């Protein structure tokens, strides 16, 4: 291992890509708050009404912050397995960051138009794109041993792909559902939280057993 | 110690979480300025009036920058004690960052509606949530020795919890006070500054004596 | 080499400049999304029209994210060759970051006024300025051996300059074209994508052979 | 030296403060662009007028980016001399970051109201506050040897203080001048550029001779 580690030239180091990624995630997570607002200069009654109507804005903020936090964790876990970058890995990562940086737009749309099928299905579509790109990164990494920080066992490889595929299926199914009932589509997403906790447990135990020599 | 340090696998390293945290704090602290503004195209008299009315905006900016700087210090101090992450620590930290990233919203509300009980009590509530999450992190860390960078003495553990609990009490008390008198609630907060300086001194001396072998 | 590496004083280390650069790129890439938006409170028909008209906004977001990602890659590649900073290198880098941070403005202009020659040519001009500054950094670095991380071969030096010069020519030519036909100018830019892929391949193979001892 | 370096406990390391500082500078530098804008939906003539009137916005962007870049350089130079933090150093640095994060506000004011004494003098005042805090950091560091990365010679200490004091004097004098003539005050600032280049040279030569053993 030590020998392998030392022959990584600086040109392949993922360090600056991780710094850029952490920056983009941090900004996307913080920009979400710009859509939670109450207009200036309202009288007392209008102010109370505006406060009472903040529900969808705050819910959209909470949902997107939670989603981005979960994606950041996936990103962190994936890159724990990366010893060096190649061009395809850099491109896939950049594409995933482009979708992450876009998320504040469908979030604002969802907060303002929670009953519009187009808003709900666009939100789900952007999520599916991000997770599909994470899945592509994971699949490529599994096949290219010279990029791996340590050998990726078949158990771990399969656990990672299964975890990401589950999210794609839930959010992917919600896209057509949104055109029938935007509310039903949003309830589907909540199904993911317990699913993620269970699959997260499976994933962590696979990572632990893989790091045992 | 050296042995302990070397067996931390990359998967437990808090490095990227600290980079994400520093990014979120930096952005939340800088976005606060977006609420300090004067409309374009005013005539001379209207411009002077607008400048004269900036007081609450600038005060809210200063207060929230000070508060976030104090929270960042608490976050930095807490993570000096962390050698490795586990899932609970990651989740509590993410939750605290979600509340930190939200703070620009109650700050804007406080600047625009300093006399509204709902604005003042929401601001205090977000602060209480952040500090309560920091307290939960501290309490969990104190109990889980395998996560600690070095053994946390009882003196230090108690000093940290006391420091955080004092802030929760002051801001927590200001929530009901805000519904009686928003102004009185804001005066309560100022009581915290000398209190923090005194408790900060106690905390620093506890940290020093704990780092002495 | 080892000896050379150890005599770099902290004062010449590019570390903090790279952290600042990654931050500015991450923010510029994420701020682009603020121009993709649908007004609040539209009725159903107006909402569908607004969604249908998002094309130019989303295209401008995608283009500028792609462009900034490509510039970040160039910046990363250039700084892989840098062992220490001097004042000229710091100034050129700061000037390039000033143009990068400005890019969200011509991007918004291009999204709102894709048929205006002034909008299209301003966009191309800012791109030319960024690439010209990267070229100046590369040329200066090639001549100043004491700043180099490892000796830059003539093959590599020429490949880097050729790659950057090609981008300058394509975007530079599009400036006068924009005054005749804004649409034609935008089509010119698309010519760059295959050109970049080919020159990128040449550049990578030059970097690989240069890092072989 | 090696011995001194190794006894720095993590609790005194300035690493995270530098990450927070780089983040705040990067965001403040990038937020400046939000004030350079042309309204959507103008007809051809109004669009050309709006483009023609961008001068003050672009000039204010350029000036503030230049000013923040120069402050970041001062901040980087100061912290090259810092081996460990104490509470006063942390507080002064946080106060300077609070003024840095505020700068986008007077920049927008200067772009919109370049002829208003209050706008011009507020801009100069914020600059004076930042530089005065940098001077306080430098003076404190010079006196507290246990915080220094290497002994600060009297030549270097005096050169740093002189450099910062010169900026304070120029911007400080422009505050009363602005009330007589806002334009004259802005011309005064341009005097600083050659002055900074000369004093920068003196400072760099002092830093070089101090790092020679």
């Amino acid at each position: 291992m030590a020998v392998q580690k030392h022959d990584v030239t600086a040109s392949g180091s993922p360090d600056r890509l991780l710094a850029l990624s952490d920056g983009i995630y941090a900004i996307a997570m913080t920009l979400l708050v710009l859509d939670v607002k109450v207009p200036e200069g309202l009288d007392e009654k209008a102010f109370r009404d505006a406060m009472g109507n903040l529900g969808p804005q705050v819910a959209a903020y909470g949902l997107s912050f939670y989603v981005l936090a979960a994606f950041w964790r996936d990103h962190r876990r994936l890159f724990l397995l990366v010893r060096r970058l190649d061009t395809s890995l850099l491109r896939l990562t950049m594409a995933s960051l482009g979708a992450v940086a876009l998320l504040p737009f469908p979030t604002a749309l969802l907060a303002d138009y929670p009953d519009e099928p187009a808003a709900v299905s666009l939100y789900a579509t952007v999520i599916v794109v991000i997770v599909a790109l994470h899945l592509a990164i994971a699949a490529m990494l599994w096949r290219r041993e010279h990029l791996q920080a340590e050998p990726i066992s078949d158990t771990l490889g399969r656990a990672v792909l299964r975890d990401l595929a589950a999210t794609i299926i839930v959010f992917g199914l919600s896209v057509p559902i949104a055109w029938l009932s935007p509310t039903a589509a949003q309830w589907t997403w909540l199904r993911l939280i317990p699913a993620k906790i269970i699959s997260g447990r499976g994933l962590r135990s696979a990572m632990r057993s893989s790091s045992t020599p």
Side-chain angles (χ1 to χ4, degrees), chain A:
Chain A
M1 267 313 286
V3 173
Q4 250 181 307
K5 282 236 159 120
H6 281 100
D7 71 3
V8 180
T9 56
S11 74
S13 156
D15 288 357
R16 281 194 65 191
L17 183 61
L18 297 183
L20 188 80
S21 302
D22 289 341
I24 288 178
Y25 272 97
I27 301 154
M29 288 161 105
T30 321
L31 285 185
L32 299 169
V33 82
L34 297 183
D35 290 301
V36 186
K37 57 179 175 249
V38 165
E40 276 179 72
L42 301 178
D43 63 31
E44 195 146 342
K45 170 141 184 6
F47 172 76
R48 280 178 201 171
D49 288 352
M51 290 295 284
N53 293 330
L54 278 178
Q57 264 77 28
V58 172
Y61 170 82
L63 174 66
S64 285
F65 197 95
Y66 178 85
V67 161
L68 285 176
F71 286 159
W72 181 81
R73 256 178 100 175
D74 287 347
H75 185 282
R76 179 176 172 276
R77 274 184 192 154
L78 282 174
F79 277 89
L80 284 172
L81 304 171
V82 172
R83 188 176 60 98
R84 50 169 294 149
L85 291 178
D86 65 2
T87 308
S88 318
L89 188 51
L90 183 59
R91 274 190 198 143
L92 286 171
T93 308
M94 280 294 190
S96 79
L97 295 175
V100 161
L102 187 60
L103 198 66
F105 166 61
T107 302
L109 219 53
L110 191 68
D112 294 340
Y113 299 98
D115 301 325
E116 284 288 348
V120 177
S121 64
L122 180 66
Y123 191 92
T125 303
V126 172
I127 303 256
V128 167
V129 168
I130 297 172
V131 187
L133 286 162
H134 280 181
L135 190 140
I137 291 170
M140 209 195 65
L141 188 60
W142 194 12
R143 286 202 324 265
R144 304 198 179 175
E145 288 181 20
H146 63 290
L147 304 182
Q148 298 170 6
E150 50 187 302
I152 298 175
S153 70
D154 284 0
T155 320
L156 177 59
R158 267 186 237 111
V160 169
L161 297 191
R162 209 162 37 220
D163 181 48
L164 296 169
T167 310
I168 293 179
I169 290 167
V170 173
F171 276 94
L173 282 175
S174 79
V175 174
I177 295 174
W179 293 98
L180 301 172
S181 159
T183 312
Q186 293 171 63
W187 280 107
T188 325
W189 304 345
L190 292 183
R191 295 298 316 265
L192 203 68
I193 297 175
K196 270 298 249 189
I197 290 171
I198 296 163
S199 92
R201 260 178 218 152
L203 187 53
R204 277 195 306 282
S205 90
M207 288 192 82
R208 254 195 305 275
S209 62
S210 118
S211 75
T212 316

